[in-house]
Amino acid sequence: MSDNTRRESDASVSGDTGHSASTRRAFIGATGTAAASSLAGCTGILGGAGGGDVLRVTVWSGNYAERFEKAIKPIFESRFDATLQLNSGWNSLLAKIKSSPPDNPPFDVTVTVEPIYYNGRKQGLFEPLRYDENIPNIEGVMQHYKDIRPISHGAPVDGAPLTILYNNSLEKPVDTWSDFTSDFVKQSNGVGVDSGFWIYPLLSAAVGTDAAPGAQELYQKADHEELINTIEQWPITGWASSGTDVWQQFRNGIIDAAQWYFGQVYYDIDKHEDISFAMPETNAGYMDNWAVVRGTDKRTLGEKFINMLLDPEVQSKWSEEHPLFFTTKEMEYAGDLSNYLPTNEEEAKKMSIPQWEQVAPYSDKFSTKFKRMKTQ
């Protein structure tokens, strides 16, 4: 997200997009501790174990799953006297639902991102959400996030800006997405990108292309040739399916820069002294919409679970474990996260988030392009 969204009073980051492990943050501190104590007092977070019903929820893999379990599982099991069973991973998520009996899905609730949310909605794999009955916290969500894509089958809850990682040994910082086509990056060991969702490397390339504002090149056919030329100029030498892959590629000397995600970078950067990150002034990100799977017999509990995820107190507590952006107006970020993540509508609008209704007509073209790039 934009440097303009950072607090002007924070002199350590003002006007600077690059951040090394030694300068990045003061960990949570008193504010986070107070928030945790408050939440525990009103929900009994520190006591009790899950019982009764079992809600099966699919989340992203890697540290997303680990941090979700630590932050959310105790809150849910305390509030609902039920057990939260977490499944992690994104591969074949929709295929698993489609191959299951209509009245016996493999899980009850799932995180989704574009294009999973778009395709699942079109294929009837998610239940319509009954906001009036079970998800009143949708009223506290910033209108911008509700406008990005239809929320009929999935509530906007969390997400993360795209983030540049780069090796400190490079002759200068990699500050913008356009730097990925610069000579000093081309002469390095190369660039790593997400291999699972081609939309996000392409979104980054669109931000770094000057044909249209933001990432609009993605949606305008007349700009596609220039956009594809840009991504082809990136010296891609690493394809990653997780944050673990990215860090390993840096350690192995496969890459010297990477496209990745703030939520999987910020609380881990301290472990990698030779790597810094940058948040370009013009940037993009992803956003998760949470859906209830068609045919589940836990539809009501699933909707109440999503309502819980939209509780500002829950999102505030969640941010202590995971540096995501959250969608409600009243949540408060732990530590210094508010220096980097949107805290109001104006700041949220500065981050380009995929609108799959517009990109869907061209998805086959872009997908084929990326498959060829990976094989080459």
Side-chain angles (χ1 to χ4, degrees), residues 115 119 195-199 202 218 224 228 231 239 356 359-375:
N119 289 324
S195 65
F197 293 91
W198 55 260
I199 182 64
L202 202 59
L218 196 60
H224 286 176
I228 290 174
I231 197 76
W239 297 89
W356 206 261
V359 77
Y362 315 113
S363 62
D364 286 345
K365 175 173 70 174
F366 290 136
S367 177
T368 299
K369 179 60 186 174
F370 266 78
K371 288 176 182 177
R372 290 174 179 171
M373 291 176 67
K374 284 193 280 188
T375 58

Side-chain angles (χ1 to χ4, degrees), residues 350-363:
K350 295 177 180 178
M351 183 170 51
S352 297
I353 293 175
Q355 299 176 342
W356 206 261
E357 297 279 353
Q358 297 184 51
V359 77
Y362 315 113
S363 62

Side-chain angles (χ1 to χ4, degrees), residues 95-251:
K96 292 175 183 176
I97 302 174
K98 290 172 69 174
S99 63
S100 66
D103 60 349
N104 187 25
F107 34 86
D108 306 302
V109 176
T110 185
V111 64
T112 76
V113 73
E114 302 293 45
I116 292 174
Y117 179 55
Y118 174 89
N119 289 324
R121 207 168 67 246
K122 295 296 184 182
Q123 296 169 22
L125 300 181
F126 305 138
E127 297 281 1
L129 293 181
R130 299 169 295 184
Y131 286 103
D132 290 342
E133 295 178 43
N134 297 319
I135 315 178
N137 284 335
I138 192 66
E139 296 300 321
V141 173
M142 295 184 206
Q143 188 62 43
H144 172 68
Y145 293 128
K146 292 189 281 190
D147 290 343
I148 288 175
R149 58 185 69 117
I151 65 169
S152 55
H153 294 72
V157 172
D158 62 296
L162 303 184
T163 304
I164 295 172
L165 292 170
Y166 62 91
N167 198 317
N168 293 334
S169 64
L170 292 176
E171 63 181 72
K172 57 182 179 178
V174 184
D175 287 328
T176 68
W177 296 111
S178 60
D179 283 339
F180 277 32
T181 59
S182 66
D183 288 340
F184 78 96
V185 172
K186 288 182 177 180
Q187 293 166 8
S188 73
N189 286 325
V191 167
V193 301
D194 187 346
S195 65
F197 293 91
W198 55 260
I199 182 64
Y200 297 108
L202 202 59
L203 201 68
S204 305
V207 171
T209 303
D210 295 330
Q216 289 301 305
E217 292 91 344
L218 196 60
Y219 313 122
Q220 298 171 176
K221 189 175 182 179
D223 296 324
H224 286 176
E225 183 176 355
E226 186 169 352
L227 175 56
I228 290 174
N229 286 340
T230 297
I231 197 76
E232 286 181 330
Q233 291 181 53
W234 285 15
I236 299 175
T237 53
W239 297 89
S241 61
S242 69
T244 301
D245 291 346
V246 173
W247 300 122
Q248 190 64 48
Q249 288 169 7
F250 273 108
R251 284 193 295 269

Side-chain angles (χ1 to χ4, degrees), residues 39 72 75 79 308-309 311-318:
L39 191 62
I72 300 301
I75 301 174
R79 288 193 179 187
M308 186 198 78
L309 295 183
D311 183 329
E313 285 191 281
V314 171
Q315 293 192 349
S316 300
K317 176 64 179 175
W318 192 355

